[in-house]
Amino acid sequence: GSEKTTAEQASAAKTEVTPPAKKVKNILIFGNSLTAGYGLEPAEAFPTQIQNRLDSLKLPYKIINAGLSGETTSGGNSRIDWVLRNPVDIFILELGGNDGLRGIPATETRKNLQAMINKVKTKYPEAKIILAGMQVPPSMGKKYADEFRVIYPELAKQNNAALIPFLLENVGGEVKLNQKDGIHPNAIGAKIVAENVWKVLEGMLENEV
């Protein structure tokens, strides 16, 4: 019986030194229908898929899905103050796609994205920022598509933010991976989008496993 007592003592000692529960950090994804999961089951949207992965890795992060279908950068800039009432540790900015589809001048989109980044930096100077790169379909014209594409890498560089080169990489324009509208990823497409985000996000997580 003495062995058991030793084991019990050891386990009691072990319990005492368990560190307090880790403080959960917030990952805020601020975006449009792509973040909101338009046309998908709630569990299929890419933010939920990322949360599931964080949970399975037992990483102390909580995703806040602040996606609003139809949101433009101008709308986002008006809404962001309200959303920033929650503490933010990692901020993912996923806006601009609707500007592109409406042909809003690239200078305007850039200005709004920068304004949102500024608001995050002012309120949460320690927050890490990830910019989700967007592109517009070639049908919008080459000149516009080119002007639009460079907004994201340039802003990421200027703001020392991480960049997801193109959020819809390997999904945009692939019929089988999109819903009937050809714009919004279907469930399979959303998995690939989650992967595109994860590749960049993973390096910013503090792996306190």
Side-chain angles (χ1 to χ4, degrees):
S2 66
E3 283 171 25
K4 188 177 171 209
T5 340
T6 325
E8 277 171 2
Q9 284 170 341
S11 101
K14 206 166 159 191
T15 317
E16 284 160 29
V17 295
T18 306
K22 294 196 180 90
K23 184 186 165 295
V24 174
K25 295 186 170 180
N26 288 339
I27 300 173
L28 178 71
I29 308 183
F30 191 63
N32 53 39
S33 54
L34 298 171
T35 296
Y38 174 86
L40 299 171
E41 293 296 320
E44 295 169 342
F46 84 80
T48 313
Q49 298 198 39
I50 291 174
Q51 182 68 69
N52 294 341
R53 190 176 292 202
L54 291 164
D55 293 346
S56 70
L57 293 170
K58 298 191 168 44
L59 292 169
Y61 286 90
K62 177 176 168 240
I63 299 269
I64 299 171
N65 183 331
L68 182 65
S69 292
E71 188 76 296
T72 57
T73 57
S74 157
N77 193 26
S78 309
R79 178 167 68 106
I80 193 167
D81 297 311
W82 183 78
V83 174
L84 291 178
R85 293 184 311 176
N86 290 310
V88 178
D89 298 283
I90 298 177
F91 181 83
I92 302 179
L93 182 52
E94 182 277 297
L95 282 174
N98 287 314
D99 295 40
L101 295 172
R102 293 177 184 197
I104 290 168
T107 46
E108 188 66 22
T109 298
R110 182 188 294 256
K111 194 181 79 189
N112 291 329
L113 289 168
Q114 183 62 60
M116 288 184 269
I117 292 170
N118 292 348
K119 286 176 181 179
V120 176
K121 287 189 163 182
T122 303
K123 189 147 192 202
Y124 301 111
E126 298 299 306
K128 297 171 180 172
I129 297 176
I130 300 176
L131 196 53
M134 282 307 294
Q135 294 177 16
V136 294
S139 57
M140 299 297 298
K142 186 179 179 336
K143 182 175 179 288
Y144 182 63
D146 289 347
E147 282 173 7
F148 191 90
R149 186 185 293 117
V150 299
I151 294 173
Y152 296 89
E154 287 177 2
L155 281 181
K157 202 170 172 185
Q158 286 160 16
N159 291 285
N160 199 12
L163 177 70
I164 299 162
F166 177 36
L167 182 71
L168 300 177
E169 190 73 53
N170 302 323
V171 179
E174 299 289 335
V175 176
K176 287 180 187 162
L177 300 176
N178 287 279
Q179 297 172 42
K180 286 196 177 74
D181 60 16
I183 295 171
H184 296 98
N186 59 22
I188 310 163
K191 277 200 168 113
I192 301 172
V193 174
E195 199 56 50
N196 292 341
V197 174
W198 182 258
K199 275 181 204 149
V200 177
L201 176 62
E202 191 179 16
M204 300 190 126
L205 301 171
E206 292 161 27
N207 291 322
E208 308 157 16
V209 189

